[in-house]
Amino acid sequence: MARPRVHDLHQVLDTAERLVAEIGAGKVTVRTLAAAAGVPNGTIYHAFGSISALLGQVWLRAATDFLDLQTELVEAALGDAGDSAAAVVAAADTAAVFALRRPAAARMLLTVKKDDLLGPQLPAEIADALLALDKRVVALLVRLTHLRWGRRDGAAVEVLTTCVVDLPTALFRRALTGPLDRPAPIGADARERLAAAVRAVLSVPPPPRTHPARPTTKD
């Protein structure tokens, strides 16, 4: 069997990304994807091996692009002054910027649980790549936490995670549920509220570090 053309594979990934965003990962099968992408079933099996591997590629591609953009926006916000609050706001606002470029990918990342998308048959190389990506995410969160509070502990990183993950998901999720053929940008008012909420959370220092109790000794 001839190897599929490269641009056909990009089309398959784009179509899978859109289907996951529209109908959910559980309803994306080789048959539905092949029909939507206009390719034979065999193309998908030949190129990706399984639907699980393909969906893993879809998530990895979107999440990598998102993190690359987030890192770029954080660096730009830090600038020469090293404004940590502006950098955290930029990290949180990345979802809005990403949604302008990749509406289906943004909806997938903010509304679909990764565990629902990635099945047990995920190839080892994709699992390793996703693990490496998770480490990059944690490294960025820890870096921002250290820039803001001079800390790297779990309690402080959890507060930073609230700003960068929880608040954007809560404020932007509804805006990402519109029709993908007519994507509407996340409104300026929602982005302003997000920035205000992030700065409010940052104004309250994280809880004190917790240390494990030291064992006592008897005389």
Side-chain angles (χ1 to χ4, degrees):
M1 180 180 296
R3 184 176 297 277
R5 292 176 298 170
V6 172
H7 68 268
D8 286 340
L9 301 187
H10 287 308
Q11 176 194 352
V12 171
L13 291 173
D14 290 343
T15 303
E17 186 176 271
R18 177 177 57 80
L19 287 176
V20 170
E22 288 180 339
I23 65 177
K27 296 182 180 179
V28 179
T29 64
V30 170
R31 180 175 296 180
T32 59
L33 175 57
V39 299
N41 291 2
T43 296
I44 295 173
Y45 285 115
H46 179 82
F48 301 100
S50 68
I51 192 67
S52 179
L54 185 148
L55 292 177
Q57 288 278 17
V58 168
W59 184 277
L60 179 63
R61 184 183 69 157
T64 299
D65 291 347
F66 180 92
L67 182 57
D68 288 345
L69 175 62
Q70 191 171 51
T71 302
E72 176 187 332
L73 295 176
V74 165
E75 294 297 340
L78 277 172
D80 296 333
D83 188 338
S84 61
V88 177
V89 170
D93 189 59
T94 301
V97 180
F98 192 64
L100 289 171
R101 305 180 183 186
R102 300 266 299 278
R107 181 188 294 189
M108 178 181 69
L109 292 176
L110 265 71
T111 65
V112 176
K113 292 182 179 180
K114 183 169 69 171
D115 291 344
D116 293 341
L117 183 72
L118 306 179
Q121 305 300 322
L122 198 65
E125 62 272 17
I126 298 178
D128 290 344
L130 289 168
L131 180 60
L133 187 66
D134 287 343
K135 290 180 178 179
R136 282 186 59 196
V137 172
V138 172
L140 178 61
L141 293 172
V142 171
R143 181 189 176 204
L144 290 173
T145 303
H146 185 258
L147 286 171
R148 182 62 186 174
W149 295 299
R151 292 172 53 176
R152 302 176 186 272
D153 56 283
V157 172
E158 186 174 350
V159 176
L160 205 289
T161 302
T162 296
C163 296
V164 175
V165 178
D166 299 336
L167 288 175
T169 300
L171 290 174
F172 293 164
R173 190 184 185 100
R174 182 177 298 177
L176 294 173
T177 58
L180 287 173
D181 57 342
R182 299 189 306 277
I186 295 172
D189 57 338
R191 297 175 71 173
E192 289 173 6
R193 289 188 180 93
L194 174 65
V198 168
R199 291 183 182 277
V201 172
L202 293 177
S203 69
V204 180
R209 295 180 179 88
T210 56
H211 299 283
R214 295 182 178 178
T216 59
T217 58
K218 294 182 179 180
D219 294 335

